[in-house]
Amino acid sequence: MSLPPLVEPAAELTVDEVRRYSRHLIIPDVGMDGQKRLKNAKVLCVGAGGLGSPALMYLAAAGVGTLGIVEFDTVDESNLQRQIIHGQADIGRSKAESARDSVKEINPYVNVILHETRLDVDNVKEIFAQYDLIVDGTDNFATRYLVNDAAVLLGKPYVWGSIYRFDGQASVFWAEHGPCYRCLYPEAPPPGMVPSCAEGGVLGVLCASIGSIQVTEAIKLLAGIGEPLVGRLMIYDALEMQYRQVKVRKDPDCALCGENPTVTDLIDYDAFCGVVSEEAQAAAIGSTITPKQLKEWQDDGEDIFLIDVREPGEYEIVNIPGATLIPKGDFLMGNALERMPQDKKIVLHCKTGVRSAEVLAVLHSAGFADAVHVGGGVIGWVNQIEPQKPVY
């Protein structure tokens, strides 16, 4: 559906701005009027990571007058494979400040506002209220539902994107004109069911593919041109180089934007999404050891069976000596239980401790009551025991 422009045009473009944006100005659908609207627009990008990097860079290049950046993290070396707004010299710096400097280098006419904080129920409405449009570059379900609910409650449109390995998705959610994110995904998937990019990986260039779609949609909304992805989900398969669309209809029974909403204000999103299942939390109580304890057990010759529940690709990057690789999925399917010894203490680990806690709950329920897991996982092991090894 065609929608009216989201913002009014600015009073004028300077001579320098006309030169800078000339390739936009000669497009009939954009022209002076559309570029003035971009100049007058205020866009908030949630995250300056994989999706936020290309989004911020192209929003800046396009001439969006005010860009807000919500980001609390620092630049890590593992980010540089895909988060192209940051460079080698930025490792250890605030991502927000690094992104701001890159934006100003691309376009000094852009006003950049930093929100160096974790987005939560206490600040999201205040931050969102300052902007015309939200671009969601988050990578976890709790924040996605937070962004959606705040946008709906404030009447704000937002452009959503998601990436994993070789697959990406994008859409525009605007409850006044179509569905919201809850119409598409009424409930978050069970904890651990959908791996994060940190667990499963992502092709770096996929961020550019989806991020550029997000910016295209943002420009269309701001300038009032074309047919935005409202009510449509774009799905991209990079391996097959194939795009397909799925229609998303507004759900009359949606808990947030439906005819009789049951969600009328922000909620506890960690609890709603179950970042870690209750079973895993319960299993970890009293059954969590430190990497140093594991090293002591190994040095003392304790009779343990150490299991790495990550994926084979992760195991190849870095592993704890003596660990046997049995991926989490084998436990969830029940295939791994017959391999568990009855005469040894079972010790589990993963990357940081989340997946191993989920497997721990499975083992406890199967009768292996003395099984434990390593808090902090292989990352904790490298940091505390073998710092010469790589992390990811």
Side-chain angles (χ1 to χ4, degrees):
M1 66 178 75
S2 298
L3 296 173
L6 192 57
V7 296
E8 293 299 317
E12 62 179 3
L13 297 178
T14 66
V15 173
D16 290 339
E17 287 172 330
V18 169
R19 283 198 295 263
R20 176 177 288 266
Y21 307 125
S22 61
R23 296 304 186 273
H24 273 178
L25 302 180
I26 59 178
I27 301 175
D29 290 344
V30 180
M32 289 289 287
D33 183 77
Q35 194 63 48
K36 288 178 181 178
R37 293 183 193 277
L38 294 181
K39 179 179 180 178
N40 206 32
K42 297 179 180 180
V43 176
L44 178 69
C45 192
V46 183
L51 291 175
S53 290
L56 285 164
M57 295 170 77
Y58 271 107
L59 287 167
V64 171
T66 299
L67 282 178
I69 304 173
V70 179
E71 181 60 77
F72 65 91
D73 203 0
T74 57
V75 180
D76 182 80
E77 190 172 13
S78 66
N79 300 150
L80 303 184
Q81 161 259 8
R82 64 200 179 282
Q83 300 180 17
I84 58 171
I85 203 166
H86 312 297
Q88 184 72 21
D90 296 313
I91 293 175
R93 290 186 67 200
S94 154
K95 279 189 180 180
E97 294 180 2
S98 170
R100 175 201 59 201
D101 293 349
S102 296
V103 165
K104 298 301 286 187
E105 182 66 23
I106 292 169
N107 190 344
Y109 303 117
V110 175
N111 175 37
V112 182
I113 301 174
L114 300 187
H115 305 276
E116 293 189 78
T117 182
R118 184 187 295 272
L119 203 65
D120 58 32
V121 295
D122 295 321
N123 60 28
V124 64
K125 286 185 179 179
E126 178 185 355
I127 294 174
F128 278 19
Q130 303 171 45
Y131 298 91
D132 304 304
L133 177 67
I134 315 300
V135 175
D136 182 10
T138 58
D139 62 356
N140 66 85
F141 287 101
T143 310
R144 287 173 184 168
Y145 281 98
L146 171 66
V147 169
N148 175 77
D149 292 4
V152 171
L153 293 172
L154 293 174
K156 303 280 185 180
Y158 78 100
V159 186
W160 170 78
S162 175
I163 51 176
Y164 179 68
R165 291 185 175 169
F166 297 96
D167 300 319
Q169 300 180 4
S171 189
V172 172
F173 296 111
W174 194 356
E176 292 182 12
H177 298 281
C180 76
Y181 183 75
R182 284 180 181 264
C183 295
L184 177 62
Y185 298 115
E187 299 287 344
M193 183 64 68
V194 180
S196 67
C197 291
E199 295 175 0
V202 60
L203 185 70
V205 72
L206 182 69
C207 303
S209 301
I210 301 302
S212 63
I213 291 176
Q214 290 182 280
V215 175
T216 303
E217 292 304 304
I219 291 172
K220 287 157 61 179
L221 288 166
L222 296 169
I225 58 177
E227 298 265 342
L229 280 175
V230 175
R232 293 182 291 152
L233 176 67
M234 180 67 73
I235 302 173
Y236 172 53
D237 181 340
L239 282 181
E240 298 294 331
M241 191 48 66
Q242 184 178 70
Y243 289 89
R244 62 188 179 93
Q245 290 186 37
V246 175
K247 287 187 177 181
V248 182
R249 302 189 184 279
K250 192 176 184 70
D251 182 2
D253 298 321
C254 176
L256 183 68
C257 71
E259 297 172 359
N260 298 293
T262 56
V263 178
T264 57
D265 204 350
L266 303 178
I267 63 174
D268 184 338
Y269 293 92
D270 285 337
F272 173 71
C273 293
V275 178
V276 178
S277 71
E278 294 181 4
E279 293 81 3
Q281 293 181 47
I285 296 174
S287 297
T288 301
I289 66 170
T290 66
K292 290 183 177 180
Q293 284 179 276
L294 173 59
K295 183 66 166 64
E296 290 173 1
W297 286 0
Q298 290 180 325
D299 292 344
D300 293 341
E302 292 282 345
D303 197 13
I304 63 173
F305 185 43
L306 179 60
I307 303 173
D308 186 335
V309 302
R310 298 175 299 154
E311 296 300 310
E314 295 176 273
Y315 184 86
E316 290 181 9
I317 296 171
V318 60
N319 57 75
I320 298 176
T324 298
L325 178 66
I326 307 178
K328 183 184 76 171
D330 291 356
F331 286 94
L332 299 182
M333 295 296 291
N335 303 331
L337 294 178
E338 61 186 22
R339 298 177 58 183
M340 297 301 102
Q342 300 291 336
D343 57 345
K344 295 183 179 182
K345 189 177 186 67
I346 298 172
V347 180
L348 307 164
H349 86 81
C350 61
K351 180 180 181 180
T352 59
V354 175
R355 283 174 282 177
S356 58
E358 298 289 347
V359 175
L360 185 65
V362 173
L363 287 182
H364 282 186
S365 65
F368 297 92
D370 62 345
V372 298
H373 86 126
V374 181
V378 72
I379 300 299
W381 174 272
V382 171
N383 290 336
Q384 298 177 33
I385 308 300
E386 295 187 277
Q388 73 277 10
K389 286 188 172 182
V391 293
Y392 63 102

